[in-house]
Amino acid sequence: MKNMNFIYVSFLALLQFSQWSAASELKIDPAHSEIGFEVKHLVVSSVHGSFTDFNGKIDLDDKDLTKSKVNFNVKVSSISTANTKRDDHLKSAEFFNADKFPEAKFESTLIKKTGKDKYLMTGDLTIHGVTKKANFDMSYLGKTKDPWGTEKIMFQAITELNRKDYGLTWNKTLETGGVLIGEKVKLNVSLETEPKSSGT
């Protein structure tokens, strides 16, 4: 009986260890990641931009990605559209009001598998002091090692938002009809991550 108890306890310990070891904390490598966006301009053309200062982590369950958690923060003042005057306007109180709301952030609440290496990630997205539920189509792009032996794990997440939902309402009406800036904004997040324990 004692042997059976010992085997049972050992089995539980092994099971708990295997579950724990399947999870790992990943850090985002900002030098090889990107948060980009696209919005309509003058009805027919598009403006592309990005945020260059961001950080975050992924609590990855390697055995079941639906049990993973994603968190990241973005410095709004790092917005870049390759036009200084436009960037300054976007940072101003008419748009993001970066002085009052310096960060945008996302925290996942649910991840569902939708296909091979495809997932629907739902979470709380906060922009301009407003928090809304947002859905991202997420892809697991795989893993590899860089020339220095550090494991790299890649993801991509895409969504489309209505900027008015976050209080970003500034616009101008065109004489020819329509508005200067579109309401829909496409977000494309490409992340290269590595284990937090990595020294690189």
Side-chain angles (χ1 to χ4, degrees):
M1 188 66 177
K2 289 183 178 180
N3 288 338
M4 288 298 295
N5 287 337
F6 176 78
I7 293 172
Y8 178 72
V9 171
S10 298
F11 174 77
L12 287 178
L14 180 61
L15 180 61
Q16 290 174 347
F17 175 77
S18 64
Q19 290 174 337
W20 175 83
S21 62
S24 58
E25 184 175 328
L26 306 178
K27 62 181 180 181
I28 295 172
D29 178 2
H32 300 99
S33 300
E34 183 180 32
I35 298 178
F37 64 87
E38 177 185 351
V39 62
K40 286 291 185 183
H41 180 251
L42 294 173
V43 181
V44 293
S45 65
S46 295
V47 169
H48 296 260
S50 64
F51 294 92
T52 60
D53 188 355
F54 54 90
N55 62 79
K57 69 171 185 173
I58 298 174
D59 292 320
L60 179 70
D61 190 314
D62 201 32
K63 301 296 183 182
D64 184 356
L65 264 64
T66 65
K67 296 179 181 178
S68 303
K69 291 279 292 183
V70 178
N71 292 270
F72 62 80
N73 298 282
V74 179
K75 297 292 185 183
V76 173
S77 61
S78 71
I79 194 169
S80 174
T81 63
N83 183 292
T84 301
K85 183 177 180 180
R86 180 167 56 211
D87 293 345
D88 288 343
H89 188 201
L90 290 171
K91 296 173 194 177
S92 75
E94 289 189 325
F95 270 100
F96 285 101
N97 199 350
D99 288 338
K100 185 176 180 179
F101 307 107
E103 282 194 336
K105 60 183 180 179
F106 176 80
E107 181 177 355
S108 68
T109 55
L110 181 66
I111 300 176
K112 292 183 178 180
K113 188 175 179 65
T114 57
K116 180 175 172 54
D117 296 328
K118 301 291 184 181
Y119 300 85
L120 179 65
M121 178 172 65
T122 300
D124 296 322
L125 178 63
T126 301
I127 302 173
H128 195 238
V130 178
T131 301
K132 297 280 187 180
K133 289 289 183 185
N135 294 315
F136 286 80
D137 292 318
M138 186 178 75
S139 299
Y140 168 67
L141 304 180
K143 63 176 67 176
T144 187
K145 286 189 177 182
D146 67 16
W148 298 273
T150 301
E151 186 175 66
K152 299 289 185 175
I153 305 172
M154 280 75 73
F155 303 90
Q156 183 179 42
I158 299 171
T159 193
E160 184 174 86
L161 308 171
N162 189 321
R163 62 186 179 89
K164 283 190 171 182
D165 290 343
Y166 295 88
L168 304 175
T169 59
W170 187 92
N171 222 330
K172 292 288 186 181
T173 303
L174 303 175
E175 292 183 3
T176 54
V179 291
L180 180 64
I181 305 171
E183 294 179 8
K184 299 293 181 67
V185 180
K186 295 179 180 178
L187 277 179
N188 189 335
V189 183
S190 297
L191 300 180
E192 183 174 305
T193 69
E194 60 189 46
K196 188 177 180 181
S197 57
S198 171
T200 58

